[in-house]
Amino acid sequence: MSRIEMIVTEEETGSRFDSVVSKLNDKISRTLAGELIKNGEILLDGKEAKVSAKVNAGQVISMPDEVQSKGNEELVAEDIPIDILYEDDDIVVVNKPKNMVVHPAARKLDRYTC
């Protein structure tokens, strides 16, 4: 199994491990990075580390190639009729139905409705 390696920069020194992983790979959210770190899939200097560990310049973050694809989910728009109450060039006011998810979430969707 091949691994991808990334070097922590001086600018990232003192940042949380999960935060740096998500910044280095924009397809991996901080939440997903945390889960992968907890599962031992993403390593710091070849060892497991806490999600909240502070990183230092020169440290090596490594992950298996297949981890890259875990953050590659495509969002697909749905054609849903929405009751628009007001709209102009700067703002839209909608009457959103109860329990309609307004943003994608990695966890259970019913916990993230507004």
Side-chain angles (χ1 to χ4, degrees):
M1 172 187 338
S2 63
R3 296 184 70 83
I4 298 168
E5 293 188 344
M6 299 169 275
I7 308 294
V8 176
T9 66
E10 193 69 42
E11 160 182 308
E12 295 157 342
T13 294
S15 297
R16 287 173 52 110
F17 186 20
D18 59 344
S19 179
V20 173
V21 169
S22 67
K23 286 178 186 172
L24 292 173
N25 185 334
D26 62 353
K27 294 184 179 175
I28 297 177
S29 69
R30 186 170 165 187
T31 301
L32 178 57
E35 291 172 13
L36 295 170
I37 291 167
K38 286 178 187 173
N39 292 340
E41 294 182 69
I42 300 179
L43 305 176
L44 185 61
D45 287 335
K47 301 174 191 160
E48 291 188 22
K50 290 185 177 184
V51 171
S52 61
K54 303 296 184 194
V55 299
N56 294 303
Q59 286 188 295
V60 178
I61 296 173
S62 63
M63 65 184 81
D65 282 333
E66 63 268 8
V67 168
Q68 294 279 14
S69 65
K70 290 188 180 187
N72 283 337
E73 296 175 9
E74 291 291 324
L75 299 179
V76 179
E78 293 182 53
D79 187 14
I80 301 171
I82 297 176
D83 184 18
I84 298 174
L85 302 176
Y86 174 81
E87 180 177 9
D88 65 25
D89 289 339
D90 299 312
I91 191 168
V92 174
V93 178
V94 298
N95 184 15
K96 182 189 77 62
K98 180 181 176 186
N99 295 328
M100 177 185 276
V101 177
V102 295
H103 56 81
R107 298 185 190 158
K108 292 181 180 179
L109 294 177
D110 60 342
R111 293 181 58 200
Y112 292 90
T113 56
C114 297

